[in-house]
Amino acid sequence: MGFTCGIVGLPNVGKSTLFNALTCASAKVNNYPFCTIEPNRGVVPVPDARLEKLAGMLRPEKVTPTTLTFVDVAGLVKNAHEGEGLGNQFLGHIRDLDAVVHVVRCFAKDDVVHVDGRIDPKADIEVVETELLLADAETCEKRIEKAGKKARAGDREAIAEQGAVEALREGLLAGKPASALRPEGGEALETFKSLFLLTAKPVIFLANVDETQLKEGGPEVDAVREAAGERRAEWVKIYADMEAEIAALEDEAEARVFLEDLGLEETGLNALIRAGYRALDLVTFYTTVGPELRAWPVPRGTPAPKAAGRIHTDFEKGFIRAEVVPFEAFVEAGSEARARESGVLRVEGKSYEVQDGDVIRFKFAT
């Protein structure tokens, strides 16, 4: 199972252009709302200097990076929660995502119409967030109604559930996202998880800019940065049209020159992928089994057996131990065998939480 980030926002903010650049796919791009109806999906590798270092050392036959899946979702409009535009369809697609990339238009361009006829990042953000909050409030109302029937019959669990969901709904209607209303634990947390609330998902704000804004910023970019800061969210600044041009270049050297001319160290797409990884709070571990060197993503705090299950369910079921070498120690040793000889290889049990950069060999019973 991979991790999925959805590209969302109002119509004509550059979502499909961004998606095309990310995946080098052929998602349809047109200058009118709702040109994207069914969500396009693209899997992109996560830039990983450690993986490149290990590959240079070990020279395996196959190198497999970790990936993120990006989904280009149809544009949302005001009153989507009531079915406006592609409302329910749009909101349904978001429920399946692990994180949301909220694209906010900062650029002005006469031949690309804005759905509301003006460039106002703060207002655009509020429209999208309000629709998601109202959709979550409706989800809560349906659960309250369902629990209420049992609660009236004296069911204690239903009474507790009804109270917990009512508190969530009140918070949502007060403008608080579900991520800020997450219960600490117990049955209330289980109820919270079962609702699959849209505003419980991590958000990365993406300011889609023109070339001048990319270099110099401006009030529109400031508005996006401030919104991200207020919400303690990740944010990136990207000139999507330029990213599409770079993505189309087959010569990597030419792409580097392009970036250098703009004074950039890396593409905005790489910055976005890294931001998505951080927003999902993922760590990477590596395996060197047979001819393949592979990177694996897991949520921070994942126990070793659960991490082994990312490779194969049998690894988790029959987990015995994990033989672990931290990345820096592995590089210094030069190989797993020398890491074992020098004593830097550790043997960890079921309670061990995988750390970012671990090189692991799992032992399991068949």
Side-chain angles (χ1 to χ4, degrees):
M1 182 185 72
F3 296 91
T4 305
C5 297
I7 302 172
V8 306
L10 296 177
N12 282 10
V13 297
K15 299 185 307 299
S16 294
T17 300
L18 175 69
F19 177 84
N20 285 346
L22 270 168
T23 64
C24 296
S26 57
K28 189 178 180 182
V29 180
N30 284 311
N31 178 27
Y32 58 86
F34 314 124
C35 66
T36 304
I37 298 176
E38 290 301 320
N40 298 294
R41 291 177 177 265
V43 180
V44 299
V46 175
D48 191 337
R50 292 181 306 204
L51 184 66
E52 294 177 8
K53 179 71 174 180
L54 290 171
M57 289 171 51
L58 303 175
R59 300 191 179 281
E61 293 179 18
K62 184 178 180 181
V63 178
T64 304
T66 185
T67 61
L68 291 178
T69 298
F70 283 87
V71 180
D72 177 22
V73 181
L76 177 147
V77 295
K78 189 173 181 180
N79 296 323
H81 73 287
E82 296 179 347
E84 290 292 327
L86 297 171
N88 294 331
Q89 189 174 354
F90 174 98
L91 298 170
H93 290 316
I94 298 177
R95 293 192 193 281
D96 297 329
L97 305 173
D98 296 305
V100 171
V101 179
H102 183 169
V103 181
V104 184
R105 178 172 172 175
C106 295
F107 66 89
K109 198 172 185 180
D110 292 338
D111 59 347
V112 179
V113 297
H114 187 287
V115 69
D116 289 327
R118 81 288 183 272
I119 305 301
D120 187 342
K122 183 177 179 180
D124 289 357
I125 289 171
E126 289 175 352
V127 167
V128 171
E129 289 187 333
T130 298
E131 291 306 313
L132 299 184
L133 286 167
L134 290 174
D136 279 350
E138 286 191 4
T139 298
C140 289
E141 287 169 8
K142 291 176 182 177
R143 178 64 67 88
I144 291 167
E145 182 179 350
K146 182 178 180 181
K149 294 177 181 179
K150 294 182 179 179
R152 286 191 290 274
D155 187 311
R156 291 186 177 181
E157 290 185 3
I159 293 171
E161 179 179 302
Q162 184 179 24
V165 180
E166 284 177 347
L168 280 173
R169 182 187 61 181
E170 289 177 10
L172 292 164
L173 292 176
K176 295 180 181 179
S179 58
L181 301 170
R182 183 184 178 92
E184 291 295 326
E187 292 299 322
L189 178 58
E190 294 307 311
T191 298
F192 177 88
K193 290 178 179 178
S194 71
L195 290 166
F196 298 102
L197 298 174
L198 304 174
T199 60
K201 302 178 187 297
V203 177
I204 305 105
F205 287 96
L206 187 150
N208 190 11
V209 302
D210 59 25
E211 185 172 351
T212 300
Q213 292 168 322
L214 181 66
K215 294 178 179 178
E216 302 174 7
E220 297 84 4
V221 177
D222 291 341
V224 178
R225 183 179 62 247
E226 289 167 7
E230 290 170 359
R231 294 155 181 78
R232 298 182 180 178
E234 297 282 342
W235 84 285
V236 293
K237 179 172 63 173
I238 287 182
Y239 180 13
D241 287 346
M242 183 201 73
E243 296 289 339
E245 290 181 37
I246 294 174
L249 296 174
E250 296 183 3
D251 188 333
E252 290 188 10
E254 188 177 352
R256 284 195 297 272
V257 170
F258 199 136
L259 289 172
E260 289 171 2
D261 288 344
L262 290 167
L264 302 175
E265 295 182 359
E266 66 172 352
T267 65
L269 301 183
N270 279 1
L272 172 60
I273 294 167
R274 294 183 200 279
Y277 216 68
R278 290 192 301 272
L280 288 164
D281 199 19
L282 302 177
V283 299
T284 303
F285 71 91
Y286 305 91
T287 57
T288 59
V289 179
E292 183 181 22
L293 166 65
R294 183 160 182 169
W296 301 88
V298 292
R300 191 178 305 279
T302 297
K306 185 69 69 175
R310 289 280 292 155
I311 301 171
H312 197 286
T313 53
D314 288 347
F315 284 25
E316 181 177 1
K317 293 176 183 177
F319 178 88
I320 298 173
R321 66 180 182 273
E323 297 179 349
V324 181
V325 184
F327 170 75
E328 295 295 344
F330 192 98
V331 170
E332 186 174 347
S335 70
E336 182 182 323
R338 287 197 286 273
R340 189 183 300 272
E341 291 169 3
S342 63
V344 296
L345 183 148
R346 306 191 314 269
V347 176
E348 302 287 357
K350 292 182 178 180
S351 62
Y352 177 70
E353 294 183 355
V354 171
Q355 302 298 303
D356 190 41
D358 281 350
V359 181
I360 306 178
R361 182 180 294 273
F362 294 104
K363 299 294 183 180
F364 64 100
T366 57

